[in-house]
Every structure is written in C-alpha cells, then in structure tokens.
Amino acid sequence: DVKVTQSSRYLVKRTGEKVFLECVQDMDHENMFWYRQDPGLGLRLIYFSYDVKMKEKGDIPEGYSVSREKKERFSLILESASTNQTSMYLCASLEAGSGQPQHFGDGTRLSIL
Amino acid sequence: QKEVEQNSGPLSVPEGAIASLNCTYSDRGSQSFFWYRQYSGKSPELIMSIYSNGDKEDGRFTAQLNKASQYVSLLIRDSQPSDSATYLCAVSEDSNYQLIWGAGTKLIIKP
C-alpha cells in the first residue's frame, strides 16, 4: 500500500509567518502534488512536481512555493501567511505510467490567525 | 477549459437501496476515470478506477463509463450508513499526470 505522510494534521499560525508543510511518500513515486480544498470550491491544484528539483505551477500558485530536494519529499511553503490561506491542504503522489490514480495523505488543516 | 461536473447534492438514499452518482466531463481525450470517497474532515480515498467503456464491478460498487456520451457513473448497491460521504469524480488525459476534479456529490444514506 502507498503511504503518503503529511507532517501535521492541524496547524495554527499567525499572519505574516513563513509556514512549511511537509509531505513524504514511501513508494518511490515520481509525481507529487499539493492541493488545497475549501468548502464549495473542491480540490484546487497549487503546485506539482514530476521529478526531483522539478516543479510546475498549478491553478492557484500565488502566495506559495515548493521544494523537492529528494524524491520522497515534497514541501509546500507559504512565504508570508495570510488569513485567506486558511484551508485544508492535501498532498498526493502518483506513480509514473498512464492511468495511475493519485494517493493522498491525511491532509493538514491550516488556520492562519 | 476542461471541466468535470457533478451534482453537488445532497443525494439522500434509503439504507439498502441503490445510490447512483453521475459525472460528466468535457475533454474527449480523457482516458482514465476515478471515483474517490471523502468523509468529512478526511482526505479522498480511491474506491474505483475505470478505463474502458462499460461496467466495472468491485463488491457493492459498480463504475460505468460511456465515452461517447462523456459520462461516468458510480452505483452503490445495498447502501449502508457508512457510505454517507462526498464522492469525487476525477478524470485524466494520461498525456499528463494531472487530474481534473469534480466538486463532488454529497451522499446521505438514511437508516
């Protein structure tokens, strides 16, 4: 079974802080994704990575950056947290090859005060 | 703009009945189709994938795909209260690894 681990289930930070969300997968997957999920808006892609040190912007990258220094780890960074970044953040990984499903971590519910 | 559409619900179904969830997609190049279940406050979990026209059965779940009409559906037989969740439909082209997500249908199974 694929195991995707997100570092925190719940996190509370203050406006202006730099926030790091960590995600680790144990299946040697090439592709990793960061989404945020808000009520009524569904899953929105922030960034994804298809290889170490490679990253691509998703639909809503503004205010975020990512880092992928090792294949198993994909970090999401909120450079200067704002209240509108309060959300559920979901990390997913995907094996290379067509038709594979994404596998999710448990999610991080982030509150910015 | 590639889109995946689902009725947001809630869809209320009596326990023991068949729940039918539908999803339409806009991109004719789509090749892979997934149903995820998401309980409140939890992350999505994969329950079914389907790649070719027709039906695919797994226990109480049946996924149906019709590429000509661009829809995919999920049937849940003998619905249980534990099936109450939001069901997300996701579609991919395979030429890239991104999924296009529907907003989800909230299903409520009434005892």
Side-chain angles (χ1 to χ4, degrees), chain A residues 19-48:
Chain A
V19 180
F20 294 84
L21 303 182
E22 306 287 345
C23 176
V24 177
Q25 49 95 2
D26 67 352
M27 289 301 292
D28 203 37
H29 286 173
E30 285 77 6
N31 305 287
M32 297 186 74
F33 305 80
W34 275 107
Y35 294 92
R36 65 177 282 177
Q37 188 176 32
D38 302 288
L41 294 178
L43 282 164
R44 292 183 291 168
L45 182 64
I46 304 171
Y47 268 97
F48 68 99

mmCIF file of all heavy atoms in Angstrom, chain A residues 19-48:
data_model
loop_
_atom_site.group_PDB
_atom_site.id
_atom_site.type_symbol
_atom_site.label_atom_id
_atom_site.label_comp_id
_atom_site.label_asym_id
_atom_site.label_seq_id
_atom_site.Cartn_x
_atom_site.Cartn_y
_atom_site.Cartn_z
ATOM 1 N N VAL A 19 5.422 29.497 6.581
ATOM 2 C CA VAL A 19 4.870 28.217 7.010
ATOM 3 C C VAL A 19 5.349 27.107 6.074
ATOM 4 O O VAL A 19 5.338 27.277 4.853
ATOM 5 C CB VAL A 19 3.323 28.247 7.003
ATOM 6 C CG1 VAL A 19 2.755 26.895 7.460
ATOM 7 C CG2 VAL A 19 2.801 29.372 7.897
ATOM 8 N N PHE A 20 5.777 26.006 6.668
ATOM 9 C CA PHE A 20 6.243 24.854 5.896
ATOM 10 C C PHE A 20 5.297 23.681 6.129
ATOM 11 O O PHE A 20 5.058 23.289 7.271
ATOM 12 C CB PHE A 20 7.659 24.453 6.324
ATOM 13 C CG PHE A 20 8.711 25.471 6.004
ATOM 14 C CD1 PHE A 20 8.953 26.539 6.866
ATOM 15 C CD2 PHE A 20 9.464 25.371 4.853
ATOM 16 C CE1 PHE A 20 9.919 27.484 6.569
ATOM 17 C CE2 PHE A 20 10.444 26.309 4.541
ATOM 18 C CZ PHE A 20 10.661 27.374 5.416
ATOM 19 N N LEU A 21 4.808 23.115 5.040
ATOM 20 C CA LEU A 21 4.033 21.876 5.117
ATOM 21 C C LEU A 21 4.832 20.795 4.408
ATOM 22 O O LEU A 21 5.259 20.969 3.267
ATOM 23 C CB LEU A 21 2.663 22.037 4.459
ATOM 24 C CG LEU A 21 1.761 23.152 4.999
ATOM 25 C CD1 LEU A 21 0.423 23.139 4.277
ATOM 26 C CD2 LEU A 21 1.556 23.016 6.494
ATOM 27 N N GLU A 22 5.016 19.677 5.128
ATOM 28 C CA GLU A 22 5.872 18.622 4.597
ATOM 29 C C GLU A 22 5.044 17.408 4.192
ATOM 30 O O GLU A 22 4.052 17.067 4.848
ATOM 31 C CB GLU A 22 6.891 18.197 5.651
ATOM 32 C CG GLU A 22 7.726 19.319 6.229
ATOM 33 C CD GLU A 22 8.770 19.825 5.251
ATOM 34 O OE1 GLU A 22 9.032 19.140 4.248
ATOM 35 O OE2 GLU A 22 9.302 20.922 5.481
ATOM 36 N N CYS A 23 5.506 16.744 3.147
ATOM 37 C CA CYS A 23 4.839 15.544 2.661
ATOM 38 C C CYS A 23 5.902 14.533 2.248
ATOM 39 O O CYS A 23 6.839 14.876 1.517
ATOM 40 C CB CYS A 23 3.950 15.897 1.469
ATOM 41 S SG CYS A 23 3.144 14.492 0.690
ATOM 42 N N VAL A 24 5.732 13.309 2.717
ATOM 43 C CA VAL A 24 6.675 12.244 2.393
ATOM 44 C C VAL A 24 5.905 11.028 1.887
ATOM 45 O O VAL A 24 4.898 10.643 2.482
ATOM 46 C CB VAL A 24 7.507 11.845 3.640
ATOM 47 C CG1 VAL A 24 8.435 10.674 3.315
ATOM 48 C CG2 VAL A 24 8.310 13.030 4.144
ATOM 49 N N GLN A 25 6.394 10.445 0.785
ATOM 50 C CA GLN A 25 5.793 9.207 0.279
ATOM 51 C C GLN A 25 6.843 8.103 0.237
ATOM 52 O O GLN A 25 8.026 8.377 0.051
ATOM 53 C CB GLN A 25 5.139 9.420 -1.095
ATOM 54 C CG GLN A 25 6.011 10.125 -2.118
ATOM 55 C CD GLN A 25 6.778 9.189 -3.033
ATOM 56 O OE1 GLN A 25 6.665 7.974 -2.979
ATOM 57 N NE2 GLN A 25 7.576 9.790 -3.924
ATOM 58 N N ASP A 26 6.376 6.869 0.426
ATOM 59 C CA ASP A 26 7.313 5.752 0.599
ATOM 60 C C ASP A 26 7.335 4.809 -0.595
ATOM 61 O O ASP A 26 7.846 3.687 -0.483
ATOM 62 C CB ASP A 26 6.977 4.988 1.880
ATOM 63 C CG ASP A 26 5.629 4.266 1.805
ATOM 64 O OD1 ASP A 26 4.883 4.466 0.822
ATOM 65 O OD2 ASP A 26 5.316 3.509 2.742
ATOM 66 N N MET A 27 6.784 5.234 -1.740
ATOM 67 C CA MET A 27 6.654 4.306 -2.872
ATOM 68 C C MET A 27 7.510 4.694 -4.068
ATOM 69 O O MET A 27 7.299 4.195 -5.161
ATOM 70 C CB MET A 27 5.185 4.217 -3.298
ATOM 71 C CG MET A 27 4.326 3.486 -2.304
ATOM 72 S SD MET A 27 4.877 1.792 -2.020
ATOM 73 C CE MET A 27 4.506 1.041 -3.591
ATOM 74 N N ASP A 28 8.462 5.604 -3.868
ATOM 75 C CA ASP A 28 9.368 5.971 -4.953
ATOM 76 C C ASP A 28 8.614 6.556 -6.152
ATOM 77 O O ASP A 28 9.024 6.394 -7.307
ATOM 78 C CB ASP A 28 10.192 4.738 -5.389
ATOM 79 C CG ASP A 28 11.496 5.125 -6.069
ATOM 80 O OD1 ASP A 28 12.109 6.123 -5.648
ATOM 81 O OD2 ASP A 28 11.903 4.448 -7.039
ATOM 82 N N HIS A 29 7.515 7.250 -5.885
ATOM 83 C CA HIS A 29 6.726 7.849 -6.965
ATOM 84 C C HIS A 29 7.416 9.085 -7.504
ATOM 85 O O HIS A 29 7.970 9.902 -6.753
ATOM 86 C CB HIS A 29 5.339 8.245 -6.453
ATOM 87 C CG HIS A 29 4.439 7.074 -6.244
ATOM 88 N ND1 HIS A 29 3.202 7.195 -5.647
ATOM 89 C CD2 HIS A 29 4.577 5.760 -6.544
ATOM 90 C CE1 HIS A 29 2.608 6.022 -5.599
ATOM 91 N NE2 HIS A 29 3.436 5.125 -6.134
ATOM 92 N N GLU A 30 7.339 9.228 -8.837
ATOM 93 C CA GLU A 30 7.970 10.394 -9.467
ATOM 94 C C GLU A 30 7.155 11.673 -9.246
ATOM 95 O O GLU A 30 7.714 12.755 -9.136
ATOM 96 C CB GLU A 30 8.105 10.159 -10.983
ATOM 97 C CG GLU A 30 9.201 9.192 -11.386
ATOM 98 C CD GLU A 30 8.842 7.737 -11.174
ATOM 99 O OE1 GLU A 30 7.678 7.432 -10.805
ATOM 100 O OE2 GLU A 30 9.731 6.888 -11.368
ATOM 101 N N ASN A 31 5.842 11.523 -9.237
ATOM 102 C CA ASN A 31 4.967 12.692 -9.260
ATOM 103 C C ASN A 31 4.359 12.973 -7.900
ATOM 104 O O ASN A 31 3.856 12.060 -7.229
ATOM 105 C CB ASN A 31 3.825 12.458 -10.255
ATOM 106 C CG ASN A 31 4.339 12.099 -11.632
ATOM 107 O OD1 ASN A 31 4.851 12.952 -12.347
ATOM 108 N ND2 ASN A 31 4.235 10.835 -11.989
ATOM 109 N N MET A 32 4.388 14.232 -7.510
ATOM 110 C CA MET A 32 3.769 14.637 -6.250
ATOM 111 C C MET A 32 3.026 15.945 -6.457
ATOM 112 O O MET A 32 3.385 16.754 -7.317
ATOM 113 C CB MET A 32 4.807 14.766 -5.132
ATOM 114 C CG MET A 32 5.506 13.431 -4.816
ATOM 115 S SD MET A 32 6.610 13.494 -3.409
ATOM 116 C CE MET A 32 5.453 13.546 -2.025
ATOM 117 N N PHE A 33 1.974 16.137 -5.654
ATOM 118 C CA PHE A 33 1.047 17.241 -5.859
ATOM 119 C C PHE A 33 0.684 17.884 -4.521
ATOM 120 O O PHE A 33 0.585 17.205 -3.507
ATOM 121 C CB PHE A 33 -0.264 16.724 -6.489
ATOM 122 C CG PHE A 33 -0.073 15.955 -7.763
ATOM 123 C CD1 PHE A 33 0.309 14.621 -7.737
ATOM 124 C CD2 PHE A 33 -0.266 16.563 -8.995
ATOM 125 C CE1 PHE A 33 0.487 13.896 -8.915
ATOM 126 C CE2 PHE A 33 -0.090 15.850 -10.172
ATOM 127 C CZ PHE A 33 0.292 14.526 -10.126
ATOM 128 N N TRP A 34 0.432 19.180 -4.566
ATOM 129 C CA TRP A 34 -0.178 19.886 -3.440
ATOM 130 C C TRP A 34 -1.477 20.529 -3.896
ATOM 131 O O TRP A 34 -1.518 21.231 -4.907
ATOM 132 C CB TRP A 34 0.739 20.980 -2.897
ATOM 133 C CG TRP A 34 1.729 20.492 -1.903
ATOM 134 C CD1 TRP A 34 3.067 20.320 -2.080
ATOM 135 C CD2 TRP A 34 1.472 20.121 -0.550
ATOM 136 N NE1 TRP A 34 3.652 19.853 -0.934
ATOM 137 C CE2 TRP A 34 2.687 19.728 0.022
ATOM 138 C CE3 TRP A 34 0.315 20.069 0.241
ATOM 139 C CZ2 TRP A 34 2.802 19.299 1.340
ATOM 140 C CZ3 TRP A 34 0.414 19.643 1.547
ATOM 141 C CH2 TRP A 34 1.650 19.263 2.090
ATOM 142 N N TYR A 35 -2.548 20.240 -3.142
ATOM 143 C CA TYR A 35 -3.859 20.820 -3.372
ATOM 144 C C TYR A 35 -4.286 21.574 -2.114
ATOM 145 O O TYR A 35 -3.848 21.276 -1.010
ATOM 146 C CB TYR A 35 -4.914 19.726 -3.583
ATOM 147 C CG TYR A 35 -4.778 18.872 -4.817
ATOM 148 C CD1 TYR A 35 -4.067 17.673 -4.792
ATOM 149 C CD2 TYR A 35 -5.403 19.235 -6.004
ATOM 150 C CE1 TYR A 35 -3.975 16.864 -5.912
ATOM 151 C CE2 TYR A 35 -5.322 18.431 -7.132
ATOM 152 C CZ TYR A 35 -4.612 17.238 -7.069
ATOM 153 O OH TYR A 35 -4.538 16.444 -8.182
ATOM 154 N N ARG A 36 -5.221 22.498 -2.313
ATOM 155 C CA ARG A 36 -5.997 22.992 -1.188
ATOM 156 C C ARG A 36 -7.465 22.725 -1.482
ATOM 157 O O ARG A 36 -7.887 22.669 -2.644
ATOM 158 C CB ARG A 36 -5.740 24.460 -0.873
ATOM 159 C CG ARG A 36 -6.155 25.448 -1.913
ATOM 160 C CD ARG A 36 -5.903 26.889 -1.461
ATOM 161 N NE ARG A 36 -6.917 27.371 -0.522
ATOM 162 C CZ ARG A 36 -6.898 28.567 0.064
ATOM 163 N NH1 ARG A 36 -5.904 29.402 -0.186
ATOM 164 N NH2 ARG A 36 -7.854 28.936 0.891
ATOM 165 N N GLN A 37 -8.209 22.529 -0.394
ATOM 166 C CA GLN A 37 -9.624 22.213 -0.540
ATOM 167 C C GLN A 37 -10.424 23.104 0.378
ATOM 168 O O GLN A 37 -10.201 23.113 1.590
ATOM 169 C CB GLN A 37 -9.891 20.741 -0.232
ATOM 170 C CG GLN A 37 -11.320 20.300 -0.551
ATOM 171 C CD GLN A 37 -11.543 18.822 -0.326
ATOM 172 O OE1 GLN A 37 -10.943 18.223 0.553
ATOM 173 N NE2 GLN A 37 -12.413 18.211 -1.135
ATOM 174 N N ASP A 38 -11.357 23.842 -0.198
ATOM 175 C CA ASP A 38 -12.215 24.748 0.539
ATOM 176 C C ASP A 38 -13.669 24.399 0.252
ATOM 177 O O ASP A 38 -13.989 23.970 -0.867
ATOM 178 C CB ASP A 38 -11.927 26.192 0.138
ATOM 179 C CG ASP A 38 -10.475 26.577 0.375
ATOM 180 O OD1 ASP A 38 -10.115 26.723 1.553
ATOM 181 O OD2 ASP A 38 -9.712 26.700 -0.596
ATOM 182 N N PRO A 39 -14.541 24.594 1.229
ATOM 183 C CA PRO A 39 -15.963 24.253 1.030
ATOM 184 C C PRO A 39 -16.525 24.927 -0.214
ATOM 185 O O PRO A 39 -16.362 26.127 -0.418
ATOM 186 C CB PRO A 39 -16.620 24.783 2.309
ATOM 187 C CG PRO A 39 -15.534 24.781 3.317
ATOM 188 C CD PRO A 39 -14.278 25.114 2.573
ATOM 189 N N GLY A 40 -17.178 24.129 -1.046
ATOM 190 C CA GLY A 40 -17.815 24.671 -2.248
ATOM 191 C C GLY A 40 -16.887 24.903 -3.417
ATOM 192 O O GLY A 40 -17.344 25.182 -4.529
ATOM 193 N N LEU A 41 -15.568 24.774 -3.195
ATOM 194 C CA LEU A 41 -14.615 25.050 -4.278
ATOM 195 C C LEU A 41 -13.891 23.788 -4.748
ATOM 196 O O LEU A 41 -13.141 23.834 -5.720
ATOM 197 C CB LEU A 41 -13.593 26.086 -3.832
ATOM 198 C CG LEU A 41 -14.146 27.481 -3.558
ATOM 199 C CD1 LEU A 41 -13.034 28.409 -3.084
ATOM 200 C CD2 LEU A 41 -14.814 28.056 -4.807
ATOM 201 N N GLY A 42 -14.070 22.705 -4.061
ATOM 202 C CA GLY A 42 -13.436 21.475 -4.496
ATOM 203 C C GLY A 42 -11.925 21.498 -4.312
ATOM 204 O O GLY A 42 -11.370 22.337 -3.603
ATOM 205 N N LEU A 43 -11.267 20.574 -4.982
ATOM 206 C CA LEU A 43 -9.808 20.462 -4.926
ATOM 207 C C LEU A 43 -9.180 21.386 -5.965
ATOM 208 O O LEU A 43 -9.526 21.330 -7.137
ATOM 209 C CB LEU A 43 -9.385 19.025 -5.234
ATOM 210 C CG LEU A 43 -9.531 18.011 -4.115
ATOM 211 C CD1 LEU A 43 -9.456 16.603 -4.658
ATOM 212 C CD2 LEU A 43 -8.452 18.223 -3.084
ATOM 213 N N ARG A 44 -8.249 22.205 -5.520
ATOM 214 C CA ARG A 44 -7.552 23.097 -6.445
ATOM 215 C C ARG A 44 -6.049 22.831 -6.360
ATOM 216 O O ARG A 44 -5.484 22.813 -5.268
ATOM 217 C CB ARG A 44 -7.868 24.557 -6.117
ATOM 218 C CG ARG A 44 -9.323 24.937 -6.385
ATOM 219 C CD ARG A 44 -9.579 26.413 -6.124
ATOM 220 N NE ARG A 44 -9.502 26.734 -4.712
ATOM 221 C CZ ARG A 44 -9.464 27.975 -4.228
ATOM 222 N NH1 ARG A 44 -9.456 29.006 -5.061
ATOM 223 N NH2 ARG A 44 -9.412 28.179 -2.922
ATOM 224 N N LEU A 45 -5.432 22.664 -7.517
ATOM 225 C CA LEU A 45 -4.021 22.323 -7.582
ATOM 226 C C LEU A 45 -3.155 23.561 -7.385
ATOM 227 O O LEU A 45 -3.302 24.560 -8.104
ATOM 228 C CB LEU A 45 -3.715 21.657 -8.928
ATOM 229 C CG LEU A 45 -2.288 21.185 -9.154
ATOM 230 C CD1 LEU A 45 -1.921 20.074 -8.171
ATOM 231 C CD2 LEU A 45 -2.120 20.712 -10.592
ATOM 232 N N ILE A 46 -2.222 23.470 -6.437
ATOM 233 C CA ILE A 46 -1.335 24.600 -6.155
ATOM 234 C C ILE A 46 -0.041 24.449 -6.963
ATOM 235 O O ILE A 46 0.340 25.316 -7.740
ATOM 236 C CB ILE A 46 -1.011 24.676 -4.650
ATOM 237 C CG1 ILE A 46 -2.295 24.758 -3.822
ATOM 238 C CG2 ILE A 46 -0.126 25.886 -4.362
ATOM 239 C CD1 ILE A 46 -2.056 24.613 -2.321
ATOM 240 N N TYR A 47 0.639 23.331 -6.755
ATOM 241 C CA TYR A 47 1.878 23.012 -7.458
ATOM 242 C C TYR A 47 1.958 21.500 -7.633
ATOM 243 O O TYR A 47 1.385 20.759 -6.846
ATOM 244 C CB TYR A 47 3.104 23.452 -6.655
ATOM 245 C CG TYR A 47 3.632 24.829 -6.956
ATOM 246 C CD1 TYR A 47 3.265 25.908 -6.149
ATOM 247 C CD2 TYR A 47 4.527 25.059 -7.998
ATOM 248 C CE1 TYR A 47 3.760 27.183 -6.403
ATOM 249 C CE2 TYR A 47 5.030 26.330 -8.255
ATOM 250 C CZ TYR A 47 4.631 27.385 -7.450
ATOM 251 O OH TYR A 47 5.132 28.649 -7.692
ATOM 252 N N PHE A 48 2.729 21.075 -8.616
ATOM 253 C CA PHE A 48 3.080 19.669 -8.698
ATOM 254 C C PHE A 48 4.529 19.522 -9.145
ATOM 255 O O PHE A 48 5.142 20.465 -9.653
ATOM 256 C CB PHE A 48 2.113 18.886 -9.584
ATOM 257 C CG PHE A 48 2.163 19.223 -11.049
ATOM 258 C CD1 PHE A 48 2.871 18.436 -11.936
ATOM 259 C CD2 PHE A 48 1.469 20.321 -11.546
ATOM 260 C CE1 PHE A 48 2.886 18.733 -13.280
ATOM 261 C CE2 PHE A 48 1.480 20.628 -12.883
ATOM 262 C CZ PHE A 48 2.191 19.838 -13.759
#
